[in-house]
Amino acid sequence: QVQLVESGGGLVQAGGSLRLSCAASGRILRIDAMGWYRQAPGKQRELVARITRGTWTNYADSVKGRFTISRDNAKNTVYLQMNSLKPEDTAIYYCNVDGLNLLGNSFGSWGQGTQVTVSS
């Protein structure tokens, strides 16, 4: 199995910054894409940012120019730098990883989620 450990969530004031981290471990041959999703109360889970092994990225329109996703392939870790945070960014943030395990089979794995709260 593939395990994801998330960290970096917390409480900040509007305009502040947080950096989320997600480290993948287990029977991993290769990670092809890593991303961050979020879900606020009463809303659908949405894509925040995603990055491929080749460093192609995409972002939700609501976070463009404020958030930056990056990865360290050697550490199987993805980061989300969040600047100029707004109260509407408040949500549980989930890490997602797609890749191949040591048997050569595709997998998709989700983290437990980390709470981000932005006060006005």
Side-chain angles (χ1 to χ4, degrees), residues 17-31:
S17 298
L18 286 173
R19 189 191 190 207
L20 305 183
S21 299
C22 175
S25 63
R27 300 168 58 251
I28 299 170
L29 175 65
R30 188 184 73 221
I31 293 176

